[in-house]
Amino acid sequence: MAMSSIHKLLTGIYIHRNFMRPRAALPPFVGSHCVDYSSSSLQKKVTSVDRTSQQGKTEEGLQGHDHKEVALDAPSPDRTPEVSFDKAIRDEAIEHFRRLKDEIVAHLRGPDGRPLQEVIMEQARVVWQFREKEDLDKWIVTSDKTIGGRSEIFLKMSKNNRSALLYGTLSSEPPQDGDSRQSGYCAMISRIPRGAFERKLSYDWSQFNTLYLRVRGDGRPWMVNIRQDTEFIQRKNQMYSYFMFTRGGPYWQEVKIPFSKFFFSNQGRVRDVQGPLVLDKISSIGFTLSDKVDGPFFLEIDFIGVFTDPAHTEEFAYENSPVLNPRLFR
């Protein structure tokens, strides 16, 4: 009886262990594979979802960064730029003192910053030339449009950037203002050179006796005007003038005008009392067209300079009488 009862007990334990488990459970080898597969699929889904969300966040971050940059580049209309007048004045003063220092050093070195011996031996000098657009900034063009006329004038570089082209249209029709009866002029004037602190400078041509130009025109006569440096208001319209006749055609023309030929004029009228041009106080030079011939014109300029002509010994080409200018005969 004891042995039979022990056998029944062991058989019941075995049956309980192997056949009395829950039906939802799977065998060990099936369960492990199913769990691995399901977990990997879940991981893949979760990873893809995480990547999608991460990319969305990245794109949103980049867009937000772009928006921030745009916001930085475009200032708010309510904000006004900060302007420091003290800093601007200080920088301007420093720049003028630097220019003044350069002028003093150049003056100690010699005239125009060159050795004195080199200046004394100089026979020719190019004062203005046209090789780049910055050279045009040294000139001013004007016409009778300032008083209501219809003449037009323009200045630009030539196609090969080796000369300046002055062109336009001359019209002698007077302005319809009821006062002016005459009109029709175009002019090109050099700017007065400025030094430190906007001081007026002048050209010293005292060692030369001739004006030298290389031009190419259309056959029209021009008036060459030279102004002296003066601080007197009553003399601001005084100048020395002489004619320059262009030949026309495709060939360049070298024009040489002695300074002794320039006559004294005031407000466009030749004065009875004449005197020589003071060559060490030259402030500017200009060219005026006023020949009363309506229509287009052009003048091409290569360079403007001065030189010494040893064959020219004339001091002044015009006479004076004791009645007109008694100071010269005292």
Side-chain angles (χ1 to χ4, degrees):
M1 290 292 295
M3 292 297 296
S4 62
S5 59
I6 292 171
H7 182 269
K8 289 181 180 180
L9 179 61
L10 293 175
T11 303
I13 293 171
Y14 175 79
I15 293 172
H16 177 75
R17 285 182 177 178
N18 295 286
F19 297 100
M20 297 302 293
R21 294 180 179 177
R23 294 183 180 272
L26 294 174
F29 65 92
V30 177
S32 62
H33 284 286
C34 288
V35 170
D36 292 339
Y37 177 77
S38 62
S39 62
S40 62
S41 62
L42 289 174
Q43 288 177 359
K44 288 182 180 180
K45 289 182 180 180
V46 171
T47 304
S48 61
V49 171
D50 292 339
R51 287 180 181 176
T52 304
S53 62
Q54 194 171 9
Q55 289 178 358
K57 292 180 179 179
T58 305
E59 291 177 357
E60 290 177 359
L62 290 175
Q63 291 177 357
H65 183 66
D66 293 338
H67 287 308
K68 290 180 181 178
E69 290 183 351
V70 171
L72 289 174
D73 292 338
S76 175
D78 298 334
R79 294 181 59 187
T80 57
E82 297 181 359
V83 178
S84 176
F85 292 99
D86 295 337
K87 183 178 182 301
I89 294 173
R90 183 171 61 253
D91 295 343
E92 187 73 13
I94 292 173
E95 175 64 20
H96 282 289
F97 276 113
R98 185 191 64 78
R99 292 172 58 184
L100 182 61
K101 174 187 174 183
D102 295 341
E103 291 178 12
I104 295 174
V105 172
H107 181 72
L108 295 176
R109 187 181 297 117
D112 298 331
R114 297 180 299 166
L116 181 60
Q117 183 179 2
E118 178 183 344
V119 176
I120 293 176
M121 298 299 294
E122 187 180 24
Q123 298 295 319
R125 180 189 304 173
V126 176
V127 184
W128 294 278
Q129 62 180 352
F130 302 92
R131 298 296 181 267
E132 53 188 1
K133 292 184 177 180
E134 285 74 13
D135 295 332
L136 301 180
D137 297 336
K138 302 175 183 179
W139 296 85
I140 303 172
V141 293
T142 182
S143 67
D144 56 17
K145 270 193 170 182
T146 57
I147 61 173
R150 297 189 177 184
S151 300
E152 293 182 335
I153 184 171
F154 306 96
L155 179 65
K156 69 175 184 179
M157 294 296 296
S158 61
K159 292 183 179 179
N160 57 358
N161 289 332
R162 303 295 296 176
S163 60
L165 183 60
L166 185 67
Y167 67 99
T169 304
L170 187 68
S171 175
S172 58
E173 181 180 353
Q176 304 298 326
D177 56 0
D179 296 331
S180 303
R181 296 182 180 180
Q182 295 180 353
S183 181
Y185 70 89
C186 294
M188 169 184 172
I189 308 169
S190 65
R191 295 182 183 273
I192 299 175
R194 299 282 181 173
F197 300 100
E198 297 300 322
R199 295 178 299 109
K200 285 185 179 181
L201 302 180
S202 59
Y203 299 99
D204 185 2
W205 298 345
S206 57
Q207 67 182 85
F208 307 101
N209 61 7
T210 305
L211 183 68
Y212 186 23
L213 307 94
R214 188 169 186 263
V215 299
R216 181 164 55 183
D218 55 357
R220 286 178 178 251
W222 290 76
M223 185 73 77
V224 182
N225 306 310
I226 298 179
R227 292 180 180 270
Q228 292 183 171
D229 184 18
T230 177
E231 298 295 339
F232 297 99
I233 299 177
Q234 67 271 21
R235 296 183 181 179
K236 66 178 182 179
N237 295 320
Q238 297 179 357
M239 65 180 65
Y240 286 79
S241 307
Y242 197 74
F243 300 100
M244 179 182 69
F245 300 95
T246 59
R247 292 195 297 258
Y251 301 105
W252 286 96
Q253 176 184 356
E254 294 184 356
V255 180
K256 300 176 182 179
I257 307 175
F259 290 125
S260 62
K261 300 293 184 182
F262 283 84
F263 52 86
F264 178 62
S265 63
N266 188 2
Q267 294 184 350
R269 296 182 179 181
V270 181
R271 311 305 297 178
D272 294 332
V273 179
Q274 294 291 321
L277 177 63
V278 181
L279 294 174
D280 60 347
K281 292 292 184 180
I282 304 299
S283 62
S284 66
I285 190 172
F287 303 91
T288 303
L289 178 65
S290 181
D291 58 356
K292 303 301 179 182
V293 179
D294 296 353
F297 66 88
F298 81 90
L299 179 67
E300 191 172 358
I301 306 174
D302 184 8
F303 65 84
I304 304 168
V306 291
F307 84 106
T308 301
D309 185 3
H312 183 76
T313 59
E314 184 181 48
E315 294 183 2
F316 193 58
Y318 309 102
E319 296 181 354
N320 281 297
S321 67
V323 178
L324 297 177
N325 194 358
R327 292 178 298 176
L328 296 177
F329 297 90
R330 287 179 181 176

